[in-house]
Amino acid sequence: MPQVELSSGTIAYEDTGGDGPVLVFLHGVLMDHTVWRKVVPDLRGTYRCVLPTLPLGSHRTPMRPDADLSLRGQALLVGEFLDRLDLREVTLVLNDWGGAQVLLSEGRTARIARLALVACEAFDNYPPGRPGRSLVRAASIPGGLALLMHLLRLRPVRRAPNGWGAMTERPIPDAITDAWFRPARTDPGVRRDLAKYLTSTPPRRQLLQWSEQMRAFEGPVLVAWATRDRLMPREHGPRLAELFPRGRLAEIEGSRTLVPEDRPDELVRLLHDFLHTTTTGTHDSPVVSGHEKAPGHGE
């Protein structure tokens, strides 16, 4: 994988290349770019797909000891990544982790043309649900993360309904989750980075203030929300779509949080439609001006 050196350390990324519009895909905690493995093949060629592995616990190279890996720090790292690769008119695609929305709150949107928020953290839902709170508790206890990562070697633990099992309709292949969990299990530096992020969640008032500041973003926003999600409240979907002047809502049936895992076909369709029917000027085409509900299985 190619790498880029940023102020906080080295970031590895995948890049399909090409001259098409740029899509930058971001992943969640204790995951990497492979969460998009079922989506990117149907987009590459038409679009340039760029997939960084952020320092959220599945990265292979620890960050510098003094790196700011807080929620805001991670968002600014995404912005720095866009700058260093000189990516322009980017469609930023988020799933699970919602931290990059802070770039909008900070006004760091010169390189961001569109935003696709796919069943991700929003408003004050940081960390999300019982799995998120469990991670924070583990990170707050000396040796807690090391123990948790050891336990995640066991299939019943990783598929428990109050953990990663809550994120998909069907179990994620063991080879994928093994690769996600291995860095934090085997490298103390990666665990240190993960703990820094998990124990730095801002207070609720700050999170809601950041959310309110996102109203200033004038680009098109797709909010793709999973109807069976156990971590991201269903009401956050329409609430997010209404927050943005050019927001549109699509509800996805038959999926939990990891839509790229459960419904990659529907997500690809939505992204294609979103990119084809929106402009990055001051006006959308009529099809984008309201909210839509996407069909699910059998519709």
Side-chain angles (χ1 to χ4, degrees), residues 247-264:
R248 68 187 295 183
L249 173 67
E251 291 191 333
I252 300 177
E253 304 287 348
S255 181
R256 298 186 190 177
T257 305
L258 297 187
V259 178
E261 189 74 25
D262 282 338
R263 292 298 314 277

Side-chain angles (χ1 to χ4, degrees), residues 50 109 197:
V50 183
T109 58
Y197 172 74

Side-chain angles (χ1 to χ4, degrees), residues 179-191:
W180 289 354
F181 301 152
R182 187 177 300 113
R185 189 181 73 245
T186 60
D187 193 324
V190 171
R191 285 199 301 275

Side-chain angles (χ1 to χ4, degrees), residues 127 129-145 148 162 198-199:
R130 187 177 297 178
R133 292 191 295 272
S134 297
L135 279 172
V136 171
R137 284 195 295 270
S140 304
I141 301 170
L145 268 182
L148 176 61
N162 60 346
L198 291 172
T199 57

Side-chain angles (χ1 to χ4, degrees), residues 59-135:
H59 54 299
R60 276 57 172 177
T61 304
M63 297 292 102
R64 297 190 176 96
D66 62 347
D68 178 5
L69 301 180
S70 65
L71 180 64
R72 179 177 181 272
Q74 296 266 5
L76 295 179
L77 197 63
V78 172
E80 187 180 351
F81 176 80
L82 303 182
D83 290 341
R84 286 296 303 274
L85 269 62
D86 194 25
L87 302 176
R88 303 170 184 268
E89 291 289 301
V90 167
T91 296
L92 203 59
V93 187
L94 283 62
N95 177 233
D96 186 25
W97 184 65
Q101 295 172 76
V102 176
L103 283 173
L104 278 58
S105 309
E106 294 275 331
R108 299 282 296 272
T109 58
R111 295 183 180 273
I112 302 173
R114 299 176 181 84
L115 194 67
L117 303 176
V118 183
C120 65
E121 297 165 319
F123 302 108
D124 57 347
N125 189 34
Y126 293 84
R130 187 177 297 178
R133 292 191 295 272
S134 297
L135 279 172

Side-chain angles (χ1 to χ4, degrees), residues 272-284:
H272 272 305
D273 181 67
F274 177 56
L275 290 157
H276 289 166
T277 60
T278 57
T279 65
T280 56
T282 57
H283 298 288
D284 282 333

